[in-house]
Amino acid sequence: MATLAVSRAPLAGFSFENCRRNVLLEGEAGKLGCSLPAARKTGTTICGIVFKDGVVLGADTRATEGMVVADKNCSKIHYISPNIYCCGAGTAADTEMTTQIISSNLELHALSTGRLPRVATANRMLKQMLFRYQGYIGAALVLGGVDCNGPHLYSIYPHGSTDKLPYVTMGSGSLAAMAVFEDRYKPDMEEEDAKRLVRDAIAAGIFNDLGSGSNIDLTVITKGNVDYIRPHDEANKKGVSLNEPEGCRLTGDYKYKRGTTAVLSQSVTPLLLEVVNESVQTMDTS
Amino acid sequence: MLSAQNFGGPGKMKEYHYTGAVENRFSPYAFNGGTVLAVAGEDFAIVASDTRLSEGYSIHSRDSPKCYKLTDTTVIGCSGFHGDCLTLTKIIDARLKMYKHSNNKTMTSGAIAAMLSTILYSRRFFPYYVYNIIGGLDEEGKGAVYSFDPVGSYQRDTYKAGGSASAMLQPLLDNQIGFKNMEGVQHVPLTQDKAVQLVKDVFISAAERDVYTGDALRICIINKEGINEQTIPLRKD
């Protein structure tokens, strides 16, 4: 039977070959007075909820590098399969790569089984990979989707433990979002109520957690349909406060005239080309 | 974040002591965020600060301005550790009163700056964790800005940014007020209205990228008529 996994088969034990190299690099960087770049984290609020017809996943859109905003509008809800999506918190590269690897493996698996993939399968693949790396992959995920057995929602931690629950939150803003869920969650909600609850939970994370901010993205997954709403709510526009209709708007003019940056020297080299050969190749556009 | 420091050698992890005493050193300082900015004009001065008080990833208060009025012609902006900011401003107020009673006159901006330097240096070996900027009018009525480091080194400036987003604001002020890195532009003196608009725009941009800056902006405009305060909303996320 041909191997299904795209990635290399897992090696026995842990290989720390690159750690020796990293120690040397850190030492050399220290001698030069600089430090190695820190991994960019998403410092995030993500959450998910199971409602009557499916699941709603929500996320904020801020990515931070230390306490500076690196990306004001990044996408934290990742595609796994047509019926399964995954929100990611933690190290941005880890969540991106992990979800892409599992998405790829799941597509191959679905082609082999000939069936729509199940959420439990994606959960099993993710947790086995994260456990294999013993928490070194900093990915905290909220996995949700609808399959032949109904809607399912899982939370997955970087060391590989998972919980199957009706409502979950992850990230630095998870406490703020969970406070909203614990107050207003009811089983079997309608779609609009569920969307409003998830939106309010993410908004609580955005306004009360410094690691989360900007806009609110939502994904509504039901049987046979996915609504990827990005953005669902532009909670923060530049220069305007949410509650002030006539807030502080940028009115200063900061354009620079040509020549403001000094031109020290200029040299123009014309490229003399002559036509050697001309041929026409027809294209089949049928 | 895990780094190569956990690695003891090939095939080994560094020994980790799971049992026994763990030392968690108490730190007398906390970082409460916040950004302050001061600009000196021909006959005015502006001191501006955001009003967010934070700690770690949480917000303590959305309405805690960092500009404190000292006299009719001087305002100080303090950011850093809020406990030390409060104590320091109380000490400065007390010293202003003592001076007024002994010398029968109000302290000038330059005198306050010199005094603050000695107050800060007296705590050289357990510093006030505060980044100060004084803005006001000098004896001739011209705008003056004095910027300090936590142990009392100070100098008179035309404009200065301090606090968490200072590294983002200072280059923009160098370009727009100091006309640095620009060729062939006229060095027009800064008007009060243009300065206020610049301060607003600069804080809006800082709030975009610095998580500690936001909520609202408090601007204190000091001129011969007195001190005028404005509050403008900023991003709350």
Side-chain angles (χ1 to χ4, degrees), chain A residues 73-117:
Chain A
N73 196 202
C74 73
S75 168
K76 298 185 190 179
I77 306 185
H78 309 285
Y79 168 88
I80 303 275
S81 76
N83 59 324
I84 304 173
Y85 279 73
C86 186
C87 314
T91 308
D94 287 341
T95 58
E96 189 69 45
M97 289 289 116
T98 303
T99 49
Q100 281 179 356
I101 289 171
I102 266 64
S103 168
S104 175
N105 288 346
L106 203 59
E107 187 171 344
L108 288 169
H109 185 262
L111 287 165
S112 169
T113 60
R115 296 180 170 89
L116 197 66

mmCIF file of all heavy atoms in Angstrom, chain A residues 73-117:
data_model
loop_
_atom_site.group_PDB
_atom_site.id
_atom_site.type_symbol
_atom_site.label_atom_id
_atom_site.label_comp_id
_atom_site.label_asym_id
_atom_site.label_seq_id
_atom_site.Cartn_x
_atom_site.Cartn_y
_atom_site.Cartn_z
ATOM 1 N N ASN A 73 -3.854 42.839 9.990
ATOM 2 C CA ASN A 73 -4.985 42.107 9.420
ATOM 3 C C ASN A 73 -4.531 40.767 8.893
ATOM 4 O O ASN A 73 -4.555 40.519 7.690
ATOM 5 C CB ASN A 73 -5.629 42.953 8.306
ATOM 6 C CG ASN A 73 -7.012 42.469 7.923
ATOM 7 O OD1 ASN A 73 -7.502 42.732 6.841
ATOM 8 N ND2 ASN A 73 -7.644 41.736 8.832
ATOM 9 N N CYS A 74 -4.100 39.873 9.806
ATOM 10 C CA CYS A 74 -3.690 38.551 9.361
ATOM 11 C C CYS A 74 -4.881 37.609 9.493
ATOM 12 O O CYS A 74 -5.837 37.877 10.203
ATOM 13 C CB CYS A 74 -2.492 38.049 10.171
ATOM 14 S SG CYS A 74 -2.877 37.571 11.852
ATOM 15 N N SER A 75 -4.806 36.479 8.785
ATOM 16 C CA SER A 75 -5.935 35.560 8.764
ATOM 17 C C SER A 75 -5.620 34.370 9.654
ATOM 18 O O SER A 75 -4.638 33.667 9.436
ATOM 19 C CB SER A 75 -6.174 35.093 7.320
ATOM 20 O OG SER A 75 -7.063 34.015 7.310
ATOM 21 N N LYS A 76 -6.423 34.154 10.699
ATOM 22 C CA LYS A 76 -6.122 33.096 11.657
ATOM 23 C C LYS A 76 -7.026 31.887 11.510
ATOM 24 O O LYS A 76 -6.875 30.914 12.250
ATOM 25 C CB LYS A 76 -6.246 33.639 13.079
ATOM 26 C CG LYS A 76 -5.264 34.759 13.326
ATOM 27 C CD LYS A 76 -5.274 35.241 14.748
ATOM 28 C CE LYS A 76 -4.455 36.510 14.849
ATOM 29 N NZ LYS A 76 -4.431 37.065 16.176
ATOM 30 N N ILE A 77 -7.998 31.953 10.599
ATOM 31 C CA ILE A 77 -8.875 30.798 10.394
ATOM 32 C C ILE A 77 -8.364 30.083 9.135
ATOM 33 O O ILE A 77 -8.419 30.628 8.028
ATOM 34 C CB ILE A 77 -10.344 31.210 10.244
ATOM 35 C CG1 ILE A 77 -10.757 32.068 11.434
ATOM 36 C CG2 ILE A 77 -11.229 29.971 10.147
ATOM 37 C CD1 ILE A 77 -12.212 32.446 11.454
ATOM 38 N N HIS A 78 -7.844 28.851 9.320
ATOM 39 C CA HIS A 78 -7.171 28.151 8.234
ATOM 40 C C HIS A 78 -8.054 27.043 7.672
ATOM 41 O O HIS A 78 -8.803 26.394 8.390
ATOM 42 C CB HIS A 78 -5.858 27.538 8.744
ATOM 43 C CG HIS A 78 -4.983 28.507 9.479
ATOM 44 N ND1 HIS A 78 -4.253 29.459 8.848
ATOM 45 C CD2 HIS A 78 -4.747 28.657 10.796
ATOM 46 C CE1 HIS A 78 -3.580 30.167 9.735
ATOM 47 N NE2 HIS A 78 -3.865 29.699 10.927
ATOM 48 N N TYR A 79 -7.897 26.801 6.367
ATOM 49 C CA TYR A 79 -8.663 25.755 5.683
ATOM 50 C C TYR A 79 -8.026 24.400 5.969
ATOM 51 O O TYR A 79 -6.811 24.245 5.857
ATOM 52 C CB TYR A 79 -8.647 26.069 4.177
ATOM 53 C CG TYR A 79 -9.130 24.962 3.281
ATOM 54 C CD1 TYR A 79 -10.483 24.856 2.967
ATOM 55 C CD2 TYR A 79 -8.256 24.033 2.731
ATOM 56 C CE1 TYR A 79 -10.936 23.847 2.127
ATOM 57 C CE2 TYR A 79 -8.701 23.025 1.896
ATOM 58 C CZ TYR A 79 -10.041 22.940 1.599
ATOM 59 O OH TYR A 79 -10.478 21.937 0.772
ATOM 60 N N ILE A 80 -8.841 23.422 6.340
ATOM 61 C CA ILE A 80 -8.333 22.059 6.497
ATOM 62 C C ILE A 80 -8.926 21.191 5.402
ATOM 63 O O ILE A 80 -8.220 20.452 4.715
ATOM 64 C CB ILE A 80 -8.683 21.489 7.888
ATOM 65 C CG1 ILE A 80 -8.125 22.391 8.989
ATOM 66 C CG2 ILE A 80 -8.206 20.063 8.010
ATOM 67 C CD1 ILE A 80 -6.687 22.131 9.353
ATOM 68 N N SER A 81 -10.248 21.257 5.252
ATOM 69 C CA SER A 81 -10.906 20.532 4.164
ATOM 70 C C SER A 81 -12.206 21.283 3.887
ATOM 71 O O SER A 81 -12.550 22.203 4.622
ATOM 72 C CB SER A 81 -11.148 19.076 4.590
ATOM 73 O OG SER A 81 -12.234 19.026 5.465
ATOM 74 N N PRO A 82 -12.941 20.947 2.822
ATOM 75 C CA PRO A 82 -14.134 21.755 2.501
ATOM 76 C C PRO A 82 -15.122 21.852 3.648
ATOM 77 O O PRO A 82 -15.849 22.834 3.749
ATOM 78 C CB PRO A 82 -14.754 20.997 1.321
ATOM 79 C CG PRO A 82 -13.643 20.233 0.710
ATOM 80 C CD PRO A 82 -12.698 19.902 1.803
ATOM 81 N N ASN A 83 -15.139 20.898 4.568
ATOM 82 C CA ASN A 83 -16.094 20.941 5.665
ATOM 83 C C ASN A 83 -15.439 21.154 7.023
ATOM 84 O O ASN A 83 -16.122 21.093 8.048
ATOM 85 C CB ASN A 83 -16.891 19.631 5.714
ATOM 86 C CG ASN A 83 -15.959 18.426 5.899
ATOM 87 O OD1 ASN A 83 -14.849 18.390 5.364
ATOM 88 N ND2 ASN A 83 -16.400 17.443 6.668
ATOM 89 N N ILE A 84 -14.130 21.400 7.060
ATOM 90 C CA ILE A 84 -13.430 21.544 8.342
ATOM 91 C C ILE A 84 -12.483 22.750 8.259
ATOM 92 O O ILE A 84 -11.694 22.864 7.320
ATOM 93 C CB ILE A 84 -12.567 20.288 8.672
ATOM 94 C CG1 ILE A 84 -13.419 19.021 8.660
ATOM 95 C CG2 ILE A 84 -11.886 20.458 10.013
ATOM 96 C CD1 ILE A 84 -12.611 17.753 8.807
ATOM 97 N N TYR A 85 -12.577 23.650 9.263
ATOM 98 C CA TYR A 85 -11.667 24.792 9.358
ATOM 99 C C TYR A 85 -11.032 24.814 10.736
ATOM 100 O O TYR A 85 -11.579 24.223 11.686
ATOM 101 C CB TYR A 85 -12.407 26.108 9.100
ATOM 102 C CG TYR A 85 -12.591 26.388 7.620
ATOM 103 C CD1 TYR A 85 -13.508 25.661 6.861
ATOM 104 C CD2 TYR A 85 -11.844 27.361 6.973
ATOM 105 C CE1 TYR A 85 -13.663 25.902 5.508
ATOM 106 C CE2 TYR A 85 -11.997 27.618 5.625
ATOM 107 C CZ TYR A 85 -12.909 26.883 4.900
ATOM 108 O OH TYR A 85 -13.072 27.117 3.558
ATOM 109 N N CYS A 86 -9.880 25.491 10.869
ATOM 110 C CA CYS A 86 -9.123 25.467 12.117
ATOM 111 C C CYS A 86 -8.591 26.855 12.448
ATOM 112 O O CYS A 86 -7.930 27.466 11.615
ATOM 113 C CB CYS A 86 -7.958 24.483 11.956
ATOM 114 S SG CYS A 86 -7.047 24.238 13.456
ATOM 115 N N CYS A 87 -8.900 27.371 13.655
ATOM 116 C CA CYS A 87 -8.303 28.640 14.093
ATOM 117 C C CYS A 87 -6.995 28.327 14.805
ATOM 118 O O CYS A 87 -6.910 27.324 15.519
ATOM 119 C CB CYS A 87 -9.187 29.372 15.100
ATOM 120 S SG CYS A 87 -10.893 29.461 14.656
ATOM 121 N N GLY A 88 -5.993 29.209 14.668
ATOM 122 C CA GLY A 88 -4.693 28.940 15.269
ATOM 123 C C GLY A 88 -4.176 30.079 16.122
ATOM 124 O O GLY A 88 -4.160 31.234 15.685
ATOM 125 N N ALA A 89 -3.707 29.756 17.343
ATOM 126 C CA ALA A 89 -3.069 30.734 18.223
ATOM 127 C C ALA A 89 -1.682 30.223 18.559
ATOM 128 O O ALA A 89 -1.417 29.034 18.492
ATOM 129 C CB ALA A 89 -3.886 30.930 19.499
ATOM 130 N N GLY A 90 -0.775 31.120 18.968
ATOM 131 C CA GLY A 90 0.580 30.722 19.336
ATOM 132 C C GLY A 90 1.563 31.247 18.306
ATOM 133 O O GLY A 90 1.417 32.350 17.813
ATOM 134 N N THR A 91 2.569 30.458 17.976
ATOM 135 C CA THR A 91 3.574 30.907 17.002
ATOM 136 C C THR A 91 2.950 30.866 15.613
ATOM 137 O O THR A 91 2.469 29.825 15.171
ATOM 138 C CB THR A 91 4.808 30.003 17.059
ATOM 139 O OG1 THR A 91 5.224 29.922 18.413
ATOM 140 C CG2 THR A 91 5.927 30.550 16.214
ATOM 141 N N ALA A 92 3.002 32.015 14.897
ATOM 142 C CA ALA A 92 2.278 32.133 13.628
ATOM 143 C C ALA A 92 2.737 31.106 12.603
ATOM 144 O O ALA A 92 1.917 30.474 11.920
ATOM 145 C CB ALA A 92 2.445 33.547 13.070
ATOM 146 N N ALA A 93 4.061 30.915 12.481
ATOM 147 C CA ALA A 93 4.573 29.967 11.495
ATOM 148 C C ALA A 93 4.117 28.545 11.822
ATOM 149 O O ALA A 93 3.780 27.760 10.933
ATOM 150 C CB ALA A 93 6.096 30.029 11.457
ATOM 151 N N ASP A 94 4.114 28.212 13.125
ATOM 152 C CA ASP A 94 3.708 26.856 13.527
ATOM 153 C C ASP A 94 2.258 26.580 13.186
ATOM 154 O O ASP A 94 1.928 25.512 12.648
ATOM 155 C CB ASP A 94 3.929 26.666 15.042
ATOM 156 C CG ASP A 94 5.398 26.540 15.397
ATOM 157 O OD1 ASP A 94 6.189 26.246 14.484
ATOM 158 O OD2 ASP A 94 5.743 26.735 16.575
ATOM 159 N N THR A 95 1.350 27.522 13.476
ATOM 160 C CA THR A 95 -0.066 27.266 13.178
ATOM 161 C C THR A 95 -0.267 27.149 11.674
ATOM 162 O O THR A 95 -0.996 26.274 11.193
ATOM 163 C CB THR A 95 -0.977 28.380 13.738
ATOM 164 O OG1 THR A 95 -0.580 29.621 13.177
ATOM 165 C CG2 THR A 95 -0.918 28.435 15.239
ATOM 166 N N GLU A 96 0.391 28.016 10.905
ATOM 167 C CA GLU A 96 0.237 28.019 9.448
ATOM 168 C C GLU A 96 0.707 26.687 8.855
ATOM 169 O O GLU A 96 -0.010 26.026 8.109
ATOM 170 C CB GLU A 96 1.062 29.181 8.879
ATOM 171 C CG GLU A 96 0.868 29.468 7.427
ATOM 172 C CD GLU A 96 -0.500 30.036 7.125
ATOM 173 O OE1 GLU A 96 -0.947 30.948 7.871
ATOM 174 O OE2 GLU A 96 -1.126 29.555 6.171
ATOM 175 N N MET A 97 1.924 26.272 9.201
ATOM 176 C CA MET A 97 2.517 25.071 8.613
ATOM 177 C C MET A 97 1.804 23.816 9.074
ATOM 178 O O MET A 97 1.549 22.902 8.296
ATOM 179 C CB MET A 97 4.008 24.980 8.981
ATOM 180 C CG MET A 97 4.863 25.994 8.298
ATOM 181 S SD MET A 97 5.038 25.638 6.566
ATOM 182 C CE MET A 97 4.255 27.008 5.845
ATOM 183 N N THR A 98 1.471 23.739 10.368
ATOM 184 C CA THR A 98 0.802 22.539 10.898
ATOM 185 C C THR A 98 -0.539 22.335 10.209
ATOM 186 O O THR A 98 -0.860 21.216 9.772
ATOM 187 C CB THR A 98 0.595 22.679 12.421
ATOM 188 O OG1 THR A 98 1.855 22.909 13.025
ATOM 189 C CG2 THR A 98 -0.040 21.438 12.998
ATOM 190 N N THR A 99 -1.331 23.418 10.075
ATOM 191 C CA THR A 99 -2.643 23.251 9.442
ATOM 192 C C THR A 99 -2.486 22.899 7.963
ATOM 193 O O THR A 99 -3.255 22.084 7.432
ATOM 194 C CB THR A 99 -3.509 24.512 9.590
ATOM 195 O OG1 THR A 99 -2.749 25.650 9.209
ATOM 196 C CG2 THR A 99 -3.989 24.670 11.008
ATOM 197 N N GLN A 100 -1.455 23.447 7.316
ATOM 198 C CA GLN A 100 -1.276 23.103 5.893
ATOM 199 C C GLN A 100 -0.865 21.649 5.715
ATOM 200 O O GLN A 100 -1.330 20.975 4.789
ATOM 201 C CB GLN A 100 -0.214 24.025 5.270
ATOM 202 C CG GLN A 100 -0.760 25.384 4.925
ATOM 203 C CD GLN A 100 0.277 26.321 4.334
ATOM 204 O OE1 GLN A 100 1.454 25.991 4.228
ATOM 205 N NE2 GLN A 100 -0.171 27.486 3.938
ATOM 206 N N ILE A 101 0.008 21.162 6.597
ATOM 207 C CA ILE A 101 0.449 19.761 6.485
ATOM 208 C C ILE A 101 -0.728 18.816 6.691
ATOM 209 O O ILE A 101 -0.945 17.867 5.919
ATOM 210 C CB ILE A 101 1.573 19.470 7.509
ATOM 211 C CG1 ILE A 101 2.868 20.173 7.085
ATOM 212 C CG2 ILE A 101 1.811 17.969 7.644
ATOM 213 C CD1 ILE A 101 3.947 20.105 8.142
ATOM 214 N N ILE A 102 -1.520 19.080 7.732
ATOM 215 C CA ILE A 102 -2.651 18.197 8.013
ATOM 216 C C ILE A 102 -3.704 18.306 6.929
ATOM 217 O O ILE A 102 -4.334 17.307 6.548
ATOM 218 C CB ILE A 102 -3.218 18.457 9.435
ATOM 219 C CG1 ILE A 102 -2.591 17.503 10.444
ATOM 220 C CG2 ILE A 102 -4.706 18.232 9.508
ATOM 221 C CD1 ILE A 102 -1.124 17.643 10.660
ATOM 222 N N SER A 103 -3.895 19.517 6.377
ATOM 223 C CA SER A 103 -4.861 19.687 5.296
ATOM 224 C C SER A 103 -4.459 18.847 4.096
ATOM 225 O O SER A 103 -5.291 18.158 3.478
ATOM 226 C CB SER A 103 -4.930 21.173 4.913
ATOM 227 O OG SER A 103 -5.627 21.335 3.717
ATOM 228 N N SER A 104 -3.168 18.880 3.769
ATOM 229 C CA SER A 104 -2.663 18.111 2.638
ATOM 230 C C SER A 104 -2.837 16.612 2.881
ATOM 231 O O SER A 104 -3.337 15.861 2.026
ATOM 232 C CB SER A 104 -1.189 18.466 2.447
ATOM 233 O OG SER A 104 -0.638 17.687 1.459
ATOM 234 N N ASN A 105 -2.437 16.143 4.063
ATOM 235 C CA ASN A 105 -2.563 14.713 4.377
ATOM 236 C C ASN A 105 -4.018 14.273 4.386
ATOM 237 O O ASN A 105 -4.354 13.164 3.960
ATOM 238 C CB ASN A 105 -1.924 14.416 5.740
ATOM 239 C CG ASN A 105 -0.420 14.480 5.682
ATOM 240 O OD1 ASN A 105 0.148 14.483 4.598
ATOM 241 N ND2 ASN A 105 0.221 14.551 6.827
ATOM 242 N N LEU A 106 -4.906 15.180 4.877
ATOM 243 C CA LEU A 106 -6.325 14.822 4.956
ATOM 244 C C LEU A 106 -6.936 14.706 3.572
ATOM 245 O O LEU A 106 -7.807 13.864 3.334
ATOM 246 C CB LEU A 106 -7.066 15.883 5.789
ATOM 247 C CG LEU A 106 -8.365 15.449 6.442
ATOM 248 C CD1 LEU A 106 -8.140 14.294 7.364
ATOM 249 C CD2 LEU A 106 -8.961 16.611 7.198
ATOM 250 N N GLU A 107 -6.461 15.549 2.614
ATOM 251 C CA GLU A 107 -6.994 15.453 1.254
ATOM 252 C C GLU A 107 -6.598 14.121 0.625
ATOM 253 O O GLU A 107 -7.418 13.464 -0.016
ATOM 254 C CB GLU A 107 -6.490 16.619 0.402
ATOM 255 C CG GLU A 107 -7.141 16.651 -0.960
ATOM 256 C CD GLU A 107 -6.828 17.900 -1.763
ATOM 257 O OE1 GLU A 107 -6.345 18.895 -1.171
ATOM 258 O OE2 GLU A 107 -7.066 17.864 -2.974
ATOM 259 N N LEU A 108 -5.365 13.709 0.837
ATOM 260 C CA LEU A 108 -4.924 12.404 0.315
ATOM 261 C C LEU A 108 -5.728 11.275 0.945
ATOM 262 O O LEU A 108 -6.143 10.323 0.283
ATOM 263 C CB LEU A 108 -3.433 12.207 0.601
ATOM 264 C CG LEU A 108 -2.496 13.065 -0.232
ATOM 265 C CD1 LEU A 108 -1.084 12.996 0.318
ATOM 266 C CD2 LEU A 108 -2.534 12.625 -1.679
ATOM 267 N N HIS A 109 -5.958 11.404 2.257
ATOM 268 C CA HIS A 109 -6.724 10.382 2.984
ATOM 269 C C HIS A 109 -8.142 10.300 2.448
ATOM 270 O O HIS A 109 -8.684 9.209 2.248
ATOM 271 C CB HIS A 109 -6.717 10.758 4.470
ATOM 272 C CG HIS A 109 -7.360 9.738 5.354
ATOM 273 N ND1 HIS A 109 -8.659 9.855 5.784
ATOM 274 C CD2 HIS A 109 -6.889 8.586 5.873
ATOM 275 C CE1 HIS A 109 -8.960 8.823 6.549
ATOM 276 N NE2 HIS A 109 -7.902 8.030 6.607
ATOM 277 N N ALA A 110 -8.767 11.477 2.190
ATOM 278 C CA ALA A 110 -10.140 11.506 1.675
ATOM 279 C C ALA A 110 -10.218 10.868 0.284
ATOM 280 O O ALA A 110 -11.193 10.193 -0.045
ATOM 281 C CB ALA A 110 -10.651 12.948 1.632
ATOM 282 N N LEU A 111 -9.181 11.107 -0.531
ATOM 283 C CA LEU A 111 -9.169 10.487 -1.863
ATOM 284 C C LEU A 111 -9.037 8.982 -1.740
ATOM 285 O O LEU A 111 -9.611 8.217 -2.529
ATOM 286 C CB LEU A 111 -8.011 11.050 -2.694
ATOM 287 C CG LEU A 111 -8.215 12.477 -3.180
ATOM 288 C CD1 LEU A 111 -6.915 13.084 -3.656
ATOM 289 C CD2 LEU A 111 -9.264 12.530 -4.274
ATOM 290 N N SER A 112 -8.302 8.530 -0.738
ATOM 291 C CA SER A 112 -8.137 7.094 -0.540
ATOM 292 C C SER A 112 -9.419 6.458 -0.035
ATOM 293 O O SER A 112 -9.829 5.395 -0.495
ATOM 294 C CB SER A 112 -6.984 6.862 0.451
ATOM 295 O OG SER A 112 -6.957 5.537 0.853
ATOM 296 N N THR A 113 -10.107 7.092 0.943
ATOM 297 C CA THR A 113 -11.329 6.509 1.492
ATOM 298 C C THR A 113 -12.521 6.753 0.573
ATOM 299 O O THR A 113 -13.503 6.021 0.647
ATOM 300 C CB THR A 113 -11.671 7.115 2.868
ATOM 301 O OG1 THR A 113 -11.850 8.529 2.716
ATOM 302 C CG2 THR A 113 -10.578 6.842 3.880
ATOM 303 N N GLY A 114 -12.444 7.817 -0.245
ATOM 304 C CA GLY A 114 -13.583 8.160 -1.105
ATOM 305 C C GLY A 114 -14.713 8.800 -0.339
ATOM 306 O O GLY A 114 -15.847 8.822 -0.809
ATOM 307 N N ARG A 115 -14.442 9.319 0.859
ATOM 308 C CA ARG A 115 -15.497 9.916 1.677
ATOM 309 C C ARG A 115 -15.080 11.318 2.108
ATOM 310 O O ARG A 115 -13.899 11.644 2.127
ATOM 311 C CB ARG A 115 -15.726 9.084 2.942
ATOM 312 C CG ARG A 115 -16.226 7.694 2.718
ATOM 313 C CD ARG A 115 -16.388 7.002 4.083
ATOM 314 N NE ARG A 115 -17.077 5.740 3.947
ATOM 315 C CZ ARG A 115 -16.467 4.578 3.711
ATOM 316 N NH1 ARG A 115 -15.168 4.524 3.595
ATOM 317 N NH2 ARG A 115 -17.167 3.476 3.576
ATOM 318 N N LEU A 116 -16.086 12.107 2.551
ATOM 319 C CA LEU A 116 -15.795 13.426 3.105
ATOM 320 C C LEU A 116 -15.032 13.225 4.435
ATOM 321 O O LEU A 116 -15.407 12.382 5.227
ATOM 322 C CB LEU A 116 -17.117 14.149 3.372
ATOM 323 C CG LEU A 116 -17.087 15.660 3.568
ATOM 324 C CD1 LEU A 116 -16.672 16.362 2.296
ATOM 325 C CD2 LEU A 116 -18.452 16.136 4.012
ATOM 326 N N PRO A 117 -13.945 13.972 4.663
ATOM 327 C CA PRO A 117 -13.166 13.737 5.892
ATOM 328 C C PRO A 117 -13.963 14.083 7.139
ATOM 329 O O PRO A 117 -14.848 14.935 7.124
ATOM 330 C CB PRO A 117 -11.964 14.669 5.748
ATOM 331 C CG PRO A 117 -12.307 15.636 4.715
ATOM 332 C CD PRO A 117 -13.345 15.033 3.836
#
